[in-house]
């Protein structure tokens, strides 16, 4: 079994992609921190590239395995970050829900438009109307997005349970294999086999995915309540925006603006006709 040293210089850029310590994420004693495992894999890859006794075909095959394993570690870091977001949602959710409920209750049925003198000129009216239409479209898009997320979350309980079962099954297969490789490697942790490093990356990814799924499951109810409160707030805000747009569309505009497509001579003639009682 070919072994690789783990004490070579580590490229800073690649390590930066996975430079997140997960030792505070309740990892078991058999699960190394993601950053230290990434360092070992990078060292193994560097040793592979520098070894003149390995032919290019073998290097290509091994390189693909190392890069795939580094990808699994990036996944593990992403899972850990997502689990943190779920924990934060569980912690801050009730307060955010209360804020949204209060905001929805405070939204008036109409928007008073402030002290704008829109009748003073058509340019001001057109600008205000366009701005309000853009805002209304944005609110409608946000409402559609919230509705879609609520529909997705309704499916998640069953999906989470199924995925947790799959991940636990994969871990139950991976950990005995890893234990056997650890016994074969012996006590020299600085000289791990390639197979051990690769399997540890797989275990790290699965373990972090499991924690993420568990946090998602625990926070699901409060996140649904948060979306429902957001939807109610958006409904009221959208209704208010629609009322404002309708009011603006009903405001009178000047005769000149209505006939702006005509030439100045046409308009002058039309005004002359009106003064004379014509059409």
């Amino acid at each position: 079994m070919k072994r690789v040293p783990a004490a070579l210089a580590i490229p800073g850029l690649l390590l930066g992609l996975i430079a997140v310590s997960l030792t505070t994420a309740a990892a078991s004693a058999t699960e190394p921190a993601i950053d230290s495992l990434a360092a070992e894999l990078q060292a193994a890859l560097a040793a592979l590239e520098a070894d003149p006794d390995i032919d290019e075909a073998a290097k290509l095959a091994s390189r693909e395995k190392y890069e795939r394993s580094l990808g699994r570690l990036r996944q593990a870091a992403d899972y850990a970050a997502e689990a943190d977001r779920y924990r934060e949602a569980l912690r801050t959710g009730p307060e955010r829900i209360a804020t949204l409920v209060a905001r929805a209750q405070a939204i008036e049925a109409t928007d008073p438009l402030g002290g704008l003198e829109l009748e003073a000129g058509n340019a001001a009216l057109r600008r205000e109307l366009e701005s309000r239409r853009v805002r209304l479209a944005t609110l409608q898009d946000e409402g559609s997005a919230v509705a879609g997320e609520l529909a997705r979350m309704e499916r998640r309980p069953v999906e989470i349970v199924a995925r947790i079962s799959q991940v636990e099954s994969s871990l139950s297969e991976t950990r005995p294999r890893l234990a056997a490789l650890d016994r074969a490697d012996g006590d020299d942790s600085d000289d791990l086999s390639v197979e051990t490093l690769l399997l540890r990356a797989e275990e790290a990814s699965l373990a972090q995915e499991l924690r993420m799924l568990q946090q998602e499951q625990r926070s699901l109810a409060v996140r649904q309540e948060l979306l429902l409160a957001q939807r109610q707030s958006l409904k009221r805000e959208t209704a208010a925006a629609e009322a404002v747009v309708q009011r603006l569309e009903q405001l009178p505009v000047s005769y000149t603006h209505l006939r702006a497509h005509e030439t100045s001579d046409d308009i002058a003639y039309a005004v002359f006709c009106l003064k004379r009682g014509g059409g």
Side-chain angles (χ1 to χ4, degrees), residues 89 93 97 100 146 149-157 216-232:
I97 290 168
L100 282 170
V146 169
E149 182 63 13
L150 279 167
R152 187 192 71 84
M153 289 183 72
E154 288 178 358
R155 302 188 298 268
R156 284 303 290 162
E216 182 183 6
Q217 192 175 50
R218 293 181 188 122
S219 66
L220 191 61
V222 71
R223 289 185 294 112
Q224 282 180 317
E225 288 298 320
L226 184 61
L227 282 172
L228 288 170
Q230 187 177 355
R231 183 177 67 178
Q232 183 61 26

Side-chain angles (χ1 to χ4, degrees), residues 99-112 135 139 229-244:
T99 299
L100 282 170
V101 169
R103 176 184 171 186
Q105 292 172 345
I107 294 174
E108 299 291 338
T110 59
D111 188 345
R135 176 57 180 160
L139 289 170
Q230 187 177 355
R231 183 177 67 178
Q232 183 61 26
S233 177
L234 282 169
K235 280 184 177 180
R236 292 202 178 195
E237 196 171 355
T238 301
E242 286 174 342
V244 171

Side-chain angles (χ1 to χ4, degrees), residues 42-261:
Q42 288 286 359
L45 182 57
L48 174 75
E49 300 290 0
D51 194 336
D53 296 329
I54 302 177
D55 63 65
E56 287 303 316
K59 281 186 178 182
L60 180 63
S62 296
R63 187 184 300 119
E64 190 275 335
K65 292 178 182 179
Y66 286 129
E67 290 174 351
R68 187 173 67 248
S69 296
L70 287 168
R72 293 294 279 166
L73 292 182
R74 284 189 286 271
Q75 271 188 333
D78 289 343
Y79 291 145
E82 190 69 11
D84 286 341
R85 284 191 285 270
Y86 289 138
R87 277 191 291 269
E88 183 67 8
L90 193 59
R91 185 182 70 83
T92 63
E95 181 180 350
R96 293 171 64 192
I97 290 168
T99 299
L100 282 170
V101 169
R103 176 184 171 186
Q105 292 172 345
I107 294 174
E108 299 291 338
T110 59
D111 188 345
L113 293 177
L116 290 172
E117 296 292 337
L118 296 177
E119 294 83 1
N122 294 300
L125 174 58
R126 289 197 300 273
R127 285 195 300 270
E128 185 65 20
L129 180 56
E130 181 61 26
S131 173
R132 298 290 178 149
R133 282 172 173 165
V134 170
R135 176 57 180 160
L136 176 58
T138 299
L139 289 170
Q140 290 169 337
D141 289 343
E142 290 177 2
S144 297
V146 169
E149 182 63 13
L150 279 167
R152 187 192 71 84
M153 289 183 72
E154 288 178 358
R155 302 188 298 268
R156 284 303 290 162
V158 174
E159 294 173 349
I160 291 171
V161 170
R163 183 56 188 163
I164 284 177
S165 178
Q166 292 171 352
V167 172
E168 288 177 336
S169 177
S170 296
L171 277 171
S172 68
E173 295 173 0
T174 299
R175 282 171 171 159
R177 291 168 56 202
L178 182 56
L181 286 173
D182 283 338
R183 288 193 297 271
D185 288 333
D187 297 329
D188 189 359
S189 61
D190 289 332
D191 192 21
L192 298 176
S193 70
V194 172
E195 289 80 3
T196 299
L197 290 172
L198 302 185
L199 206 55
R200 281 191 178 180
E202 179 71 16
E203 182 201 25
S205 179
L206 289 169
Q208 292 304 323
E209 184 181 5
L210 179 60
R211 294 192 184 101
M212 178 198 70
L213 290 166
Q214 290 168 340
Q215 288 298 328
E216 182 183 6
Q217 192 175 50
R218 293 181 188 122
S219 66
L220 191 61
V222 71
R223 289 185 294 112
Q224 282 180 317
E225 288 298 320
L226 184 61
L227 282 172
L228 288 170
Q230 187 177 355
R231 183 177 67 178
Q232 183 61 26
S233 177
L234 282 169
K235 280 184 177 180
R236 292 202 178 195
E237 196 171 355
T238 301
E242 286 174 342
V244 171
V245 168
Q246 289 173 2
R247 285 178 57 198
L248 289 172
E249 289 173 341
Q250 292 167 2
L251 286 176
V253 294
S254 73
Y255 182 79
T256 302
H257 170 65
L258 290 174
R259 303 184 64 135
H261 64 283

